[in-house]
């Protein structure tokens, strides 16, 4: 890794405030835990993002992408290499029936933009944490619906800085995943199909989604969203009489409300771990593994992570 070369190229490409060495990551995640990144880089244009990706490739610097910081866990030791947090935040309507949102646009920002213009399609995603880039990469889901179902096309960079536009059929969308998990490509923008709608009705639907989240999720405390994927009843052999739900399995294993250090399995929703204010990443990781182990031992179901573990982890020390 040629750190000096990488940093020099980035400082030529970016404004000084867009590249920080030793930047703390905890404030940039919804869990509010984790150590520093070697570099935090926040390019504000597609050209700058492409330039940073190319510089990292030439210098052999590992790259970790982060958006709104939801659905991720950063180790207490931090992240080596460059953490790139795109600040691309434009929303446009390039043609009738389509809205294009850049990777750094928050899902809530996209919902507000479309509703204010009487455009229907994404209003039910009100309250979804994170950004367009992260939602596309993980094919965010809500109440049985996938955000990938709304997508027309996605603009992607490969890890050498090459660009391509990929239609929905080529995105390999499936439960909690997309082609990005396989290829390591980087979202630049996504286009969503929209129709005409009545503003008041769209706002009412958005409010209903927010109310549902507030009533079923521990939104008043720091968390990263759901920890585990919901199992498939047949493939994962979920016992009869138990819902094919990670939260239900963790709950029935007697773990609702259980704590390790400052992290606790939410008493409201057992597929959420909350930071009560002083949690470490190691606390969260220990609680994840305890829940996985206890569900396996009691029900024979192996829970898979929905949360993404960034950086490198010591399985002994978190």
């Amino acid at each position: 890794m040629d750190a000096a070369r990488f940093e020099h190229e980035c400082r030529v490409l970016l404004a000084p405030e867009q590249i920080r060495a030793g930047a703390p990551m905890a404030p940039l995640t919804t869990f509010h835990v984790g150590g520093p990144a070697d570099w935090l880089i926040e390019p504000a244009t597609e050209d700058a993002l492409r330039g940073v990706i190319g510089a990292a490739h030439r210098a052999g610097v590992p790259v970790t992408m982060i958006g709104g910081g939801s659905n991720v866990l950063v180790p207490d030791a931090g992240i080596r290499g460059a953490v790139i947090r795109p600040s691309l935040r434009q929303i446009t309507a390039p043609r009738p029936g389509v809205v294009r949102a850049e990777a750094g646009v928050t899902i809530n920002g996209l919902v507000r933009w479309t509703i204010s213009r009487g455009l229907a399609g994404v209003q039910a995603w009100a309250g979804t944490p994170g950004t367009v880039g992260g939602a596309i990469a993980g094919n965010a889901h809500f109440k049985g619906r996938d955000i990938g179902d709304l997508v027309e096309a996605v603009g992607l960079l490969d890890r050498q800085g090459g660009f391509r536009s990929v239609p929905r059929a080529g995105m390999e969308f499936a439960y909690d995943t997309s082609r990005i998990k396989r290829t390591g490509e980087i979202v630049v923008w996504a286009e969503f199909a929209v129709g005409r709608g009545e503003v008041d009705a769209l706002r009412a639907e958005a409010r209903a989604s927010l109310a549902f989240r507030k009533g079923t999720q521990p939104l008043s405390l720091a968390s990263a969203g759901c920890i585990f994927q919901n199992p498939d009843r047949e493939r994962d052999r979920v016992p009869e009489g138990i819902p094919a739900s990670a939260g239900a399995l963790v709950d029935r294993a007697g773990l609702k409300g259980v704590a390790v250090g400052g992290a606790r399995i939410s008493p409201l929703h057992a597929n959420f771990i909350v930071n009560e204010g002083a949690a470490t990443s190691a606390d969260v990781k220990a609680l994840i593994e305890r829940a996985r182990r206890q569900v396996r031992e009691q029900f024979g179901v192996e829970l898979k992570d929905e949360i993404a573990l960034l950086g490198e982890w010591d399985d002994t020390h978190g």
Side-chain angles (χ1 to χ4, degrees):
M1 181 170 74
D2 190 340
R5 173 183 178 179
F6 173 70
E7 184 164 347
H8 172 74
E9 289 195 36
C10 286
R11 293 198 182 279
V12 170
L13 288 166
L14 304 168
E17 66 273 13
Q18 293 175 325
I19 175 170
R20 287 183 279 161
M25 292 299 297
L28 302 180
T29 73
T30 58
F31 243 142
H32 298 166
V33 297
D38 288 347
W39 295 281
L40 174 67
I41 299 174
E42 299 178 291
T45 67
E46 181 179 334
D47 285 345
L49 175 60
R50 192 186 308 223
V52 169
I53 294 299
H57 175 67
R58 289 187 294 273
V61 170
V63 167
T64 300
M65 300 299 301
I66 191 170
S70 62
N71 202 39
V72 299
L73 183 62
V74 174
D76 294 315
I79 302 177
R80 306 289 68 80
V83 172
I84 300 179
R85 185 172 180 254
S87 294
L88 284 69
R89 298 191 179 118
Q90 284 195 327
I91 307 174
T92 56
R95 56 191 182 279
V98 172
V99 166
R100 176 183 289 187
E102 291 186 325
V105 173
T106 65
I107 296 297
N108 285 319
L110 176 61
V111 168
R112 288 192 296 269
W113 193 93
T114 55
I115 287 176
S116 69
R117 289 160 176 79
L119 298 174
V122 300
Q123 64 278 359
W125 294 86
T128 301
T131 60
V132 166
I136 295 297
N139 193 20
H141 57 85
F142 176 59
K143 296 181 74 171
R145 289 179 284 185
D146 295 336
I147 203 163
D149 295 339
L150 308 176
V151 168
E152 291 283 299
V154 180
L156 298 174
L157 289 178
D158 63 30
R159 290 298 174 120
Q160 290 75 48
F163 177 83
R164 61 175 59 82
S165 175
V166 179
R168 176 175 54 195
M171 284 299 300
E172 302 173 24
F173 285 124
Y175 178 58
D176 274 341
T177 194
S178 70
R179 68 180 274 157
I180 294 163
K181 298 290 183 74
R182 175 180 62 81
T183 65
E185 292 164 313
I186 295 156
V187 177
V188 178
W189 49 257
E191 292 183 342
F192 298 89
V194 294
R196 298 304 308 178
E198 201 277 319
V199 171
D200 288 342
L202 297 175
R203 284 186 178 141
E205 188 175 349
R207 289 193 192 103
S209 291
L210 281 169
F212 177 84
R213 291 179 189 275
K214 289 177 180 177
T216 59
Q217 299 174 5
L219 300 184
S220 63
L221 292 171
S223 79
C226 288
I227 294 294
F228 300 111
Q229 296 179 4
N230 287 327
D232 179 271
R233 176 168 296 283
E234 293 188 7
R235 184 190 65 228
D236 297 311
R237 300 181 181 179
V238 179
E240 290 299 323
I242 299 179
S245 155
L249 286 159
V250 174
D251 186 3
R252 300 212 185 180
L255 292 168
K256 212 177 216 185
V258 167
V260 172
R264 185 179 301 275
I265 294 177
S266 170
L268 181 62
H269 192 315
N271 200 17
F272 279 66
I273 292 175
V274 296
N275 177 0
E276 296 188 313
T280 66
S281 298
D283 293 339
V284 175
K285 184 68 157 50
L287 205 46
I288 290 171
E289 295 311 323
R290 178 172 174 181
R292 195 194 322 273
R293 181 177 65 252
Q294 205 152 319
V295 167
R296 181 197 309 123
E297 291 172 354
Q298 291 187 224
F299 304 113
V301 177
E302 185 71 26
L303 292 177
K304 300 178 181 66
D305 291 343
E306 180 166 321
I307 192 172
L309 303 182
L310 304 183
E312 297 180 0
W313 288 83
D314 181 325
D315 289 337
T316 302
H317 300 97

